[in-house]
Amino acid sequence: MKFTKKEQEVLEVFWQANRPLCVRDILDINPKLNKNTVPVVVKKLSDRGCLAVESIQKVAKTFAQYYIPTITKEEYVTQQFTKKNFQHLFANFVKKEDNVEELKQLAQLINERMNQLEE
C-alpha cells in the first residue's frame, strides 16, 4: 500500500499521538499541515480503510468524527520493503552485526518460525 506525502504526514500524526483524533486535533498537533487538505486526506485514508471512525463526539456546537489508524507504523514500514529488498537488508545486517547475543536472538526467532511452519 503506497501513500502520498500528505497521507504519510497525517498518518504520522496518528502514530505519534497514539489516540483517536479528529481533524482539528491533527491540525493542532501539526500546524504546518494545510487546514483545507487535512479533511480531504483523512477522508481518502478512511475510504481506503487505513483509518476507522472510533467515535463521534460533540465538539462545541458541532459533531466531530474521531479516527484511529488501522495500520501500524511497523506494518507500513514492513510493506514498503519488497521481499528481495528485505532479504538483502537482513543479509547485510547479519554480516555486519558484531553482537553475538543479537544474532542468537535472531537465530532463535527464525528457528521458532520454521518450527511453526513445519507443524
Side-chain angles (χ1 to χ4, degrees):
M1 184 174 291
K2 297 277 185 187
F3 296 110
T4 66
K5 184 178 181 209
K6 293 295 180 195
E7 289 170 337
Q8 289 177 19
E9 289 174 351
V10 168
L11 282 170
E12 194 64 46
V13 172
F14 277 98
W15 293 327
Q16 289 177 3
N18 201 26
R19 63 181 171 89
L21 302 173
C22 67
V23 170
R24 178 85 258 147
D25 293 336
I26 296 167
L27 293 168
D28 289 344
I29 292 170
N30 186 346
K32 292 179 183 178
L33 294 171
N34 184 294
K35 69 178 182 177
N36 297 316
T37 304
V38 171
V40 174
V41 171
V42 168
K43 173 84 168 92
K44 283 183 181 178
L45 288 169
S46 178
D47 289 347
R48 290 174 64 187
C50 300
L51 294 178
V53 176
E54 195 266 344
S55 65
I56 299 173
Q57 300 176 22
K58 190 169 186 175
V59 179
K61 295 182 180 183
T62 177
F63 288 91
Q65 292 181 323
Y66 281 77
Y67 296 89
I68 55 171
T70 60
I71 182 171
T72 66
K73 186 171 186 173
E74 292 76 19
E75 290 169 333
Y76 169 68
V77 169
T78 302
Q79 288 176 0
Q80 300 312 301
F81 287 103
T82 63
K83 197 171 194 175
K84 186 174 183 170
N85 288 344
F86 186 74
Q87 287 173 336
H88 182 69
L89 178 70
F90 187 73
N92 282 333
F93 173 79
V94 170
K95 286 177 189 175
K96 294 180 181 182
E97 181 58 52
D98 293 332
N99 186 323
V100 174
E101 285 304 311
E102 294 257 340
L103 292 171
K104 283 181 181 179
Q105 289 176 351
L106 287 173
Q108 182 180 353
L109 287 171
I110 291 169
N111 287 332
E112 288 173 2
R113 181 64 180 146
M114 287 173 50
N115 288 337
Q116 289 173 349
L117 293 172
E118 290 173 350
E119 291 178 357

